Amino acid sequence: MENGRNSLKRTLTLAPLVLFGLAYMTPMISFGIYGVLAEATSGLVPTAYLVALIAMLFTAYSYGKMVKAYPVSGSAYTYTRKSIHPNLGFLVGWAVLLDYLFLPMVIWLIGSVYLQAAFPTVPVWIWVLSFIVITTLINLIGIRTTSRVNFLMMVFQFLVILLFIIFSTVSLMSGEGMETLFSASAFIHGDMSFSLVLAGASVACYSFLGFDAVTTLSEETIDPKKTIPRAIFLVALIGGGIFVITSYFIYLVYPDFTKFQNIDSAGFEIAALVGGNLFSAIFLAGMITAQFASGLSAQASAARLLFAMGRDNVLPKKIFGFIHPRFSTPVLNLLTIAIIALLALKMDIATSTSFINFGAFVTFIFVNLSVIGHYYFKKGLRSGKHAFSYLVLPLIGAVFDAWLLINLDKHALILGGAWALIGFIYLLFLTKLFREAPPEMAIDDVDAAS
């Protein structure tokens, strides 16, 4: 479980950092949740992605500022703990834990829904259990995906997206769908409701999860204070551009979202429409490989976080700090993640992605607020230019994220609120009613090794 951070060499430049961030985001995820977004926004998915992109760019800006302040550490937990207050930092770390624990469930659920669409005679619960069992067994014996494999999978995803755009263009020029390559109705039409767009944008932000992953490579980056902020911004911008473009073409070829047989697997129907059986098979392969690789990494990262917290007595050490003597893996933690993932049997994509986004929005809000706390208040940088950079811009980002947070699915807000309450009660216990400092979470070490 050693991360080897003391031996890391600074070799990374801007381009490989951006590629790493894009691979972490899983470019094809916009297909995976398109149907859910279409239903939530009455078809205005590109607009929802534009709103989400704007919010993420403000947050990316704030991440960049905090990387300059703390070029070694790379989490909202650390930023909040050092810039605002340790107790508040612990609660942000608790929100980060929410994403770690439940992200594998969402990933496997999306993959299972698409497999069920391709093989309708096989119940979705079989695919869910298959994902859970296979991925858990692989992680139990210690086999981890490498950055090279992830890079190849990212290239494959880009090829699938490119093929989709080509097939869509041919289909549109042949008189299918909207019969044109240019239509403003994809972004705005007479029945447009901004409240629906906001609700969709709050779900669309799921596609952006991981855009900040490049912060974990600070110690391997040449001139990280300059390069990392640029990489974060470019990953959010390029990734958001991909999501807007793909959702735009999907709308053009399939403008009536009410005709989807299954909104959870709408992408598969669209792939079959524009490219026939061969492309739908390629598309399915792209989706499943992407979800499998993401799930493998997400489960391993979550289990390692639980181990780090168990090792440091933030969680019971006998359970969460246990390492299998033969496989040298946190077996109980991996099984815990697998058990949590069984919730996928009772949840749909819309609710599960919103639940994940609850934790993400909380962390994004506090990344923005950390800029204000660190630069505007602690460093006292309050001149006209500094006030704009360290107060106005991050405050806009925080408001955007809070706006999207309150527009989440009501079930996600209830579940997320319950999770936050549990974290607060646990913090009271750990700090003996705030009489002691909260224990430090090893979130940064986990991120760096993931």
Side-chain angles (χ1 to χ4, degrees):
M1 303 301 290
E2 296 294 325
N3 56 35
R5 290 173 64 168
N6 293 331
S7 62
L8 298 178
K9 297 182 179 180
R10 298 191 182 276
T11 59
L12 296 176
T13 55
L14 183 61
L17 283 175
V18 172
L19 289 174
F20 172 84
L22 291 174
Y24 205 95
M25 284 174 69
T26 312
M28 283 189 66
I29 194 58
S30 57
F31 291 95
I33 62 174
Y34 181 86
V36 171
L37 290 177
E39 184 178 59
T41 62
S42 291
L44 293 176
V45 180
T47 309
Y49 269 121
L50 273 178
V51 173
L53 174 58
I54 292 171
M56 292 303 99
L57 288 179
F58 277 104
T59 301
Y61 167 85
S62 292
Y63 263 108
K65 293 301 180 184
M66 293 313 297
V67 167
K68 291 181 179 180
Y70 303 105
V72 175
S73 301
S75 77
Y77 156 71
T78 295
Y79 301 154
T80 306
R81 181 171 60 86
K82 293 185 176 181
S83 301
I84 303 179
H85 195 278
N87 288 333
L88 201 53
F90 181 90
L91 292 176
V92 172
W94 188 259
V96 173
L97 180 60
L98 172 68
D99 286 354
Y100 271 101
L101 291 179
F102 290 91
L103 184 57
M105 176 197 72
V106 181
I107 292 170
W108 295 331
L109 176 59
I110 293 175
S112 298
V113 167
Y114 272 78
L115 280 169
Q116 201 270 335
F119 307 98
T121 58
V122 181
V124 69
W125 65 265
I126 290 182
W127 297 118
V128 170
L129 291 180
S130 297
F131 266 114
I132 293 174
V133 172
I134 294 173
T135 306
T136 301
L137 286 175
I138 291 174
N139 274 321
L140 281 174
I141 60 177
I143 297 177
R144 301 275 303 273
T145 54
T146 65
S147 59
R148 181 173 297 179
V149 172
N150 281 332
F151 175 76
L152 292 175
M153 288 186 173
M154 183 198 66
V155 171
F156 181 48
Q157 290 179 71
F158 277 131
L159 288 175
V160 174
I161 292 171
L162 180 60
L163 284 173
F164 169 76
I165 293 175
I166 292 173
F167 283 130
S168 296
T169 301
V170 172
S171 179
L172 292 167
M173 297 304 289
S174 300
E176 300 293 335
M178 296 291 290
E179 302 181 11
T180 178
L181 294 176
F182 305 99
S183 175
S185 63
F187 296 95
I188 183 171
H189 54 61
D191 298 328
M192 178 180 178
S193 168
F194 195 63
S195 62
L196 291 180
V197 170
L198 277 177
S202 67
V203 178
C205 284
Y206 173 77
S207 301
F208 289 85
L209 294 185
F211 81 90
D212 58 324
V214 295
T215 61
T216 65
L217 300 178
S218 295
E219 292 190 47
E220 299 170 79
T221 301
I222 298 172
D223 193 7
K225 289 187 177 182
K226 181 179 179 181
T227 308
I228 294 289
R230 289 180 177 178
I232 295 172
F233 196 85
L234 284 174
V235 169
L237 182 62
I238 295 172
I242 291 171
F243 302 146
V244 171
I245 291 171
T246 53
S247 60
Y248 173 76
F249 273 94
I250 293 173
Y251 176 88
L252 292 183
V253 298
Y254 209 121
D256 189 355
F257 69 93
T258 62
K259 293 183 178 179
F260 289 131
Q261 296 180 17
N262 185 346
I263 61 168
D264 286 344
S265 58
F268 184 73
E269 295 179 38
I270 297 164
L273 174 69
V274 301
N277 292 334
L278 177 60
F279 179 64
S280 63
I282 295 173
F283 174 86
L284 181 64
M287 279 294 300
I288 300 308
T289 54
Q291 297 305 107
F292 182 78
S294 297
L296 195 67
S297 177
Q299 187 189 30
S301 297
R304 194 186 191 287
L305 172 58
L306 291 176
F307 167 77
M309 295 177 72
R311 179 194 59 198
D312 297 338
N313 287 311
V314 177
L315 294 174
K317 188 172 184 178
K318 287 186 178 181
I319 299 174
F320 297 101
F322 174 77
I323 293 294
H324 193 280
R326 178 181 176 186
F327 299 121
S328 298
T329 53
V331 174
L332 298 179
N333 300 345
L334 289 168
L335 293 176
T336 298
I337 305 302
I339 292 171
I340 291 174
L342 292 174
L343 289 173
L345 299 174
K346 294 295 184 180
M347 297 184 75
D348 57 29
I349 291 178
T351 302
S352 60
T353 52
S354 293
F355 186 36
I356 292 295
N357 283 355
F358 181 93
F361 285 138
V362 169
T363 59
F364 290 162
I365 288 169
F366 280 97
V367 168
N368 285 294
L369 294 180
S370 293
V371 174
I372 299 173
H374 179 79
Y375 289 99
Y376 190 79
F377 286 106
K378 285 193 172 183
K379 285 187 168 293
L381 301 176
R382 302 175 185 177
S383 65
K385 179 181 179 181
H386 289 149
F388 182 73
S389 299
Y390 302 131
L391 177 63
V392 176
L393 290 180
L395 188 59
I396 292 174
V399 170
F400 252 118
D401 292 328
W403 201 7
L404 293 172
L405 173 65
I406 62 176
N407 277 279
L408 285 172
D409 177 89
K410 65 177 181 180
H411 300 295
L413 289 174
I414 293 172
L415 290 171
W419 179 263
L421 179 61
I422 293 171
F424 181 76
I425 294 172
Y426 190 50
L427 177 63
L428 289 176
F429 169 75
L430 290 175
T431 59
K432 298 180 179 178
L433 301 180
F434 299 130
R435 290 194 294 268
E436 297 180 1
E440 290 190 21
M441 298 185 185
I443 290 176
D444 298 318
D445 293 335
V446 174
D447 288 342
S450 298

